[in-house]
């Protein structure tokens, strides 16, 4: 592991993981090496021994264990905070492991946008985490950096998404030498432009970009209307980003892959085609030194 501040990928799958509940046949049921956890990043600063999670997924306990293996910490749970991107099941429900039925954390900082914070305070069982002081909600504001160390900041950026219960944010993680962009969920890149953010301009300011790659192409979910679960198709993203210089394309690593996406299964043909075009997929366990 790097000696300096770095990110660690703890999951690359869509909210329900891979394979999803209800999947009758999958080699991943028998071969655990084929399984993929819900999308999550860790932010680690070995200099101070501090660790943060980006999102609390349904795979929280497995991801916390992987973090302990990668960057051991004797504390329980050994986290200095959790940043939440939004209130869809794959991004906050792991908070339940912090309650008195499990870890029984004490005043663990949970960084949340205003509607997200209100949702946690006003709905069970999450409000119990607040009243029992298992978690301490810390406010996030759009484009307002949170300083975690003199040379580490995390900045939320509002993105358009299905905001039934909360806002949705991307996160820009800046370290002493490099910057990572984390955009696990977004309706579409054109929609973000209507909010004043052009993804190509943002890409130019970062070194690595983990971008929403939920679906590779249309037609992956027979019988489901993808308009009800909008995400930019990887095929469409590639078409858009193909105009960028190769160095900019190389920054992009697709994440948040649905079980219908062949890239989550390390499909050799699909992955080879993607890499040939100058792009890549996030991998669990990969690090980016900041």
């Amino acid at each position: 592991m790097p000696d300096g501040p770095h990110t660690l990928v703890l999951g690359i799958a869509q909210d329900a993981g891979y394979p999803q509940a209800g999947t009758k046949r999958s080699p991943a049921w028998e071969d655990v090496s084929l399984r993929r956890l819900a999308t999550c990043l860790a932010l680690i600063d070995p200099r101070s021994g501090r660790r943060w999670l980006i999102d609390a997924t349904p795979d929280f306990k497995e991801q916390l264990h992987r973090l302990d293996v990668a960057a051991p910490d004797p504390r329980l749970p050994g986290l200095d905070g959790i940043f939440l991107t939004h209130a869809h099941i794959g991004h906050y429900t792991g908070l339940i492991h912090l309650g008195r039925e499990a870890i029984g954390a004490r005043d663990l900082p949970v960084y949340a946008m205003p509607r997200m914070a209100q949702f946690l305070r006003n709905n069970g069982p999450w409000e119990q985490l607040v009243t029992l002081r298992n978690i301490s909600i810390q406010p996030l504001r759009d484009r307002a950096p949170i300083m975690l160390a003199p040379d580490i900041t995390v900045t939320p950026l509002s993105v358009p998404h299905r905001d039934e219960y909360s806002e949705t944010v991307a996160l820009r993680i800046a370290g002493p030498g490099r910057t990572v962009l984390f955009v696990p969920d977004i309706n579409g890149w054109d929609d973000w432009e209507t909010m004043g953010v052009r993804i190509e301009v943002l890409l130019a300011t970062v070194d690595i970009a983990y971008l929403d790659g939920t679906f590779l192409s249309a037609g992956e979910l027979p019988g489901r209307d993808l308009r009800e679960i909008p995400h930019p198709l990887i095929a469409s993203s590639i078409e858009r980003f193909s105009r960028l210089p190769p160095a900019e394309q190389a920054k992009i690593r697709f994440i948040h892959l649905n079980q219908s996406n062949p890239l989550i299964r390390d499909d050799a043909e699909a992955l080879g085609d993607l890499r040939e075009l100058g792009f890549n997929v996030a991998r669990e366990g990969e690090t980016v030194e900041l």
Side-chain angles (χ1 to χ4, degrees):
M1 302 296 290
D3 294 328
H6 59 279
T7 59
L8 168 67
V9 175
L10 294 174
I12 67 166
Q14 179 265 1
D15 301 42
Y18 174 76
Q20 289 186 11
T23 300
K24 304 303 181 184
R25 295 178 182 175
S26 170
W29 290 131
E30 287 72 42
D31 186 350
V32 296
S33 70
L34 299 177
R35 298 179 188 177
R36 299 292 178 262
L37 306 184
T39 290
C40 178
L41 282 187
L43 172 57
I44 304 165
D45 186 1
R47 304 168 305 179
S48 62
R50 302 176 75 198
R51 316 183 307 177
W52 298 266
L53 283 184
I54 311 298
D55 279 335
T57 83
D59 296 314
F60 179 90
K61 64 180 181 180
E62 174 70 17
Q63 290 167 330
L64 183 60
H65 174 68
R66 291 186 183 185
L67 178 57
D68 284 336
V69 170
D73 190 315
R75 301 172 298 162
L76 184 67
L79 294 173
D80 295 279
I82 299 174
F83 287 82
L84 299 181
T85 60
H86 64 300
H88 285 161
I89 65 166
H91 302 268
Y92 79 99
T93 56
L95 293 177
I96 206 67
H97 291 283
L98 300 172
R100 62 183 175 188
E101 297 89 350
I103 290 173
R106 188 66 173 172
D107 291 326
L108 179 65
V110 171
Y111 296 86
M113 293 288 282
R115 285 186 61 209
M116 182 79 238
Q118 184 180 33
F119 176 81
L120 295 174
R121 290 190 179 103
N122 296 335
N123 292 277
W126 321 108
E127 55 85 17
Q128 190 175 76
L129 298 175
V130 178
T131 58
L132 295 181
R133 294 182 58 186
N134 301 124
I135 65 175
S136 173
I137 296 178
Q138 306 297 312
L140 290 179
R141 291 187 296 110
D142 185 34
R143 307 191 190 197
I146 298 294
M147 182 172 287
L148 302 179
D151 53 3
I152 301 175
T153 59
V154 177
T155 304
L157 305 170
S158 293
V159 302
H161 195 44
R162 296 178 293 112
D163 295 338
E164 301 96 334
Y165 300 115
S166 78
E167 316 90 335
T168 302
V169 293
L171 294 172
R172 188 177 186 274
I173 306 161
R178 304 180 82 201
T179 300
V180 169
L181 177 65
F182 183 62
V183 192
D185 285 83
I186 191 170
N187 287 349
W189 309 119
D190 289 340
D191 292 345
W192 210 4
E193 284 194 50
T194 66
M195 297 173 64
V197 179
R198 183 168 174 79
I199 181 60
E200 290 85 353
V201 174
L202 191 53
L203 278 174
T205 70
V206 305
D207 298 282
I208 296 293
Y210 292 108
L211 301 186
D212 185 342
T214 307
F215 302 113
L216 177 61
S217 58
E220 285 183 24
L221 296 179
R224 297 281 297 275
D225 186 350
L226 291 187
R227 290 174 299 182
E228 296 178 354
I229 40 177
H231 294 273
L233 301 176
I234 289 181
S236 300
S237 294
I238 289 174
E239 182 179 357
R240 175 171 182 147
F241 299 140
S242 64
R243 310 184 193 104
L244 295 173
E248 292 295 286
Q249 296 175 8
K251 296 177 178 181
I252 297 171
R253 301 177 187 180
F254 291 107
I255 203 165
H256 198 266
L257 309 177
N258 193 63
Q259 71 164 6
S260 62
N261 190 331
L263 293 170
I264 203 171
R265 298 188 294 276
D266 289 336
D267 181 285
E269 183 177 356
L271 191 56
D273 291 344
L274 184 72
R275 288 174 174 165
E276 190 172 328
L277 292 168
F279 302 92
N280 218 321
V281 173
R283 287 285 173 262
E284 293 180 2
E286 73 177 47
T287 62
V288 175
E289 192 162 5
L290 301 172

